[in-house]
Amino acid sequence: MDVLKFLGQALLPEKYYKMSKDELENRVREIKAQMGKELFILGHHYQRDEVFQFSDVAGDSLQLSQIAAKNHEAKYIVFCGVHFMAETADILASDEQVVVLPDLKAGCSMADMADIHQAERAWMKLQEQFGDTIIPITYVNSTAAIKAFCGRNGGTTVTSSNAKKVVTWAFTQKERMLFLPDQHLGRNTSYDLGIPLEQMAIWDPNKDELEFEGNLEDVKVILWKGHCSVHQNFTVENIETIRASEPDRTILVHPECCREVVEKSDLNGSTHYIVETIKAAPAGSKWAIGTEMNLVKRIIKQFPDKDIISLNPHFCSCLTMNRIDLPHLVWALENLIEGKVVNEIAVDKATAKDAVVALDRMLALS
Ligand code: 13P
Ligand code: SF4
């Protein structure tokens, strides 16, 4: 995240906290009606309902980046999601479009686990070790600088929805893959494609060190030691508890969960896959879902004919996704209608030039 921008974020004026929910909602409706097609609100599935309801388009990371790449008529794109998503939208938007993130504190702890200096150091060491045999692939949950690094070095981006396709492509390009920053998505996808765990090494960015036992020549996948602090809360114990009391409940998890959890669950897939699977499930079917809580709660409400619970009963939402609330949304919109932009996300041109190479490769594969 751009630290200076983050520190320089204007404070939300007090009056927005004092407005009632109805007042805030009415204000969003009025501004949307007034601005028409000039304004385009994108909402990730993990957003709170209070803002999610106002999305012009909702989706997972892949869908939202595809939509951002196509919409060139809106003057303002307001992103209800996290910082890396707004950066992606800015990279894919035209120069005239302005991208706004209602609260700059909506970051992502996983994206913060790979900074560009660490990645450059890792790359240098890995090239020394393995020569020109590695392709870098980054989950879109990463900074624009990491995407640019992948673009410059022949690699691409990936989301949980297209991971198998992208990783399959990666191995048509090079013998080995460096997968950043989520070790779990990298491990789960590679394993599903038939790569044994014994051929996967871990790169520790804090120690600048490769963790691997065995013959280095056998390494096919190098997993960056990062993770999602939300999905790591789902455990094998959660699964065993449900299996013991309700063996007929189907367990469905996101591939950001660790290998053991994915292995012991019945199904796994991206946010989009989770939504579609529940939609298609028969009435009366029983589910335990391992993903972000705002989405699980919404699915429970949307499908009252199905019996749905969270895999972890004590599990909370993604705190950074939750930074985007109605007061921040209304504040950002009221400024736009007055011709002022608060919390603009603007990726510098040099970074965007390389990052778009990585994103375009992914979009062409998706
Ligand atoms: P997807 O939208 O690709 O499923 O990613 C999940 C996520 O963690 C978003 O932050
Ligand atoms: Fe980042 Fe995980 Fe939150 Fe997604 S759910 S924004 S990966 S911390």
Side-chain angles (χ1 to χ4, degrees):
M1 184 182 304
D2 183 331
V3 176
L4 284 178
K5 256 198 175 159
F6 174 74
L7 292 174
Q9 166 167 253
L11 283 180
L12 181 70
E14 189 70 20
K15 71 168 190 178
Y16 293 102
Y17 287 120
K18 293 192 176 142
M19 287 167 78
S20 71
K21 188 165 176 275
D22 280 353
E23 282 172 316
L24 290 163
E25 288 185 344
N26 286 337
R27 208 51 201 123
V28 179
R29 283 188 202 102
E30 275 165 24
I31 295 174
K32 282 188 73 156
Q34 245 174 294
M35 292 184 77
K37 285 196 175 356
E38 266 207 329
L39 172 68
F40 192 43
I41 303 183
L42 293 178
H44 190 272
H45 285 301
Y46 295 176
Q47 287 288 289
R48 297 162 176 266
D49 277 347
E50 66 183 50
V51 293
F52 188 81
Q53 61 175 326
F54 294 114
S55 317
D56 292 306
V57 183
D60 69 358
S61 306
L62 177 63
Q63 292 169 304
L64 295 178
S65 51
Q66 285 168 328
I67 289 157
K70 276 197 199 121
N71 180 303
H72 289 298
E73 65 178 331
K75 188 165 167 196
Y76 301 110
I77 297 175
V78 173
F79 215 112
C80 294
V82 289
H83 194 270
F84 71 80
M85 296 177 179
E87 277 191 335
T88 301
D90 180 59
I91 294 164
L92 295 170
S94 68
D95 286 351
E96 294 70 41
Q97 291 179 298
V98 172
V99 177
V100 168
L101 181 67
D103 185 345
L104 292 185
K105 292 198 194 100
C108 163
S109 54
M110 179 201 285
D112 292 342
M113 288 176 197
D115 82 36
I116 185 61
H117 306 293
Q118 291 174 320
E120 295 287 6
R121 281 203 305 273
W123 191 242
M124 208 175 69
K125 288 205 173 183
L126 292 170
Q127 297 284 301
E128 275 166 25
Q129 180 67 56
F130 296 106
D132 182 21
T133 63
I134 314 169
I135 182 166
I137 304 290
T138 185
Y139 195 15
V140 288
N141 302 24
S142 55
T143 63
I146 294 288
K147 293 183 178 79
F149 159 81
C150 289
R152 274 197 301 282
N153 290 294
T156 183
T157 56
V158 64
T159 79
S160 54
S161 276
N162 58 21
K164 282 192 194 144
K165 255 192 218 164
V166 171
V167 171
T168 303
W169 170 83
F171 283 107
T172 65
Q173 306 297 302
K174 289 279 161 78
E175 226 176 287
R176 298 185 172 86
M177 167 181 75
L178 167 64
F179 193 101
L180 312 94
D182 184 17
Q183 58 170 305
H184 302 304
L185 181 64
R187 185 179 292 111
N188 288 323
T189 309
S190 304
Y191 186 84
D192 283 349
L193 290 172
I195 300 173
L197 296 175
E198 297 73 41
Q199 294 194 326
M200 300 184 205
I202 294 175
W203 179 264
D204 184 333
N206 296 316
K207 294 189 186 148
D208 281 335
E209 202 172 87
L210 193 69
E211 294 174 3
F212 185 71
E213 282 170 18
N215 182 354
L216 282 173
E217 270 313 297
D218 294 338
V219 171
K220 292 284 288 173
V221 174
I222 301 157
L223 302 164
W224 191 268
K225 201 172 190 169
H227 62 265
C228 166
S229 42
V230 177
H231 288 91
Q232 76 163 5
N233 291 327
F234 298 103
T235 63
V236 168
E237 290 72 51
N238 294 148
I239 296 184
E240 283 168 352
T241 306
I242 287 178
R243 295 276 191 234
S245 57
E246 297 183 280
D248 57 337
R249 194 175 281 282
T250 307
I251 297 176
L252 166 60
V253 302
H254 193 283
E256 283 176 22
C257 295
C258 71
R259 178 75 219 133
E260 295 74 18
V261 165
V262 167
E263 202 160 81
K264 287 197 161 19
S265 52
D266 299 298
L267 297 168
N268 77 89
S270 66
T271 302
H272 178 67
Y273 173 83
I274 292 173
V275 171
E276 292 304 311
T277 303
I278 298 297
K279 218 189 261 177
S285 54
K286 294 170 79 176
W287 297 86
I289 304 183
T291 196
E292 203 278 339
M293 201 62 183
N294 285 334
L295 174 60
V296 176
K297 280 200 227 148
R298 186 172 308 117
I299 290 178
I300 291 173
K301 255 198 258 159
Q302 269 173 354
F303 303 102
D305 59 328
K306 301 167 199 182
D307 177 352
I308 304 163
I309 57 170
S310 168
L311 176 56
N312 181 340
H314 309 294
F315 175 58
C316 43
S317 312
C318 173
L319 296 179
T320 49
M321 282 277 179
N322 271 351
R323 300 286 322 185
I324 311 294
D325 57 9
L326 257 183
H328 280 89
L329 180 61
V330 173
W331 173 57
L333 295 182
E334 285 200 331
N335 273 283
L336 289 183
I337 206 144
E338 285 167 18
K340 283 187 263 165
V341 175
V342 286
N343 296 351
E344 180 178 1
I345 301 296
V347 176
D348 71 85
K349 287 218 168 353
T351 305
K353 184 171 154 279
D354 288 341
V356 81
V357 172
L359 285 164
D360 282 347
R361 278 190 192 122
M362 173 188 80
L363 293 173
L365 286 165
S366 304

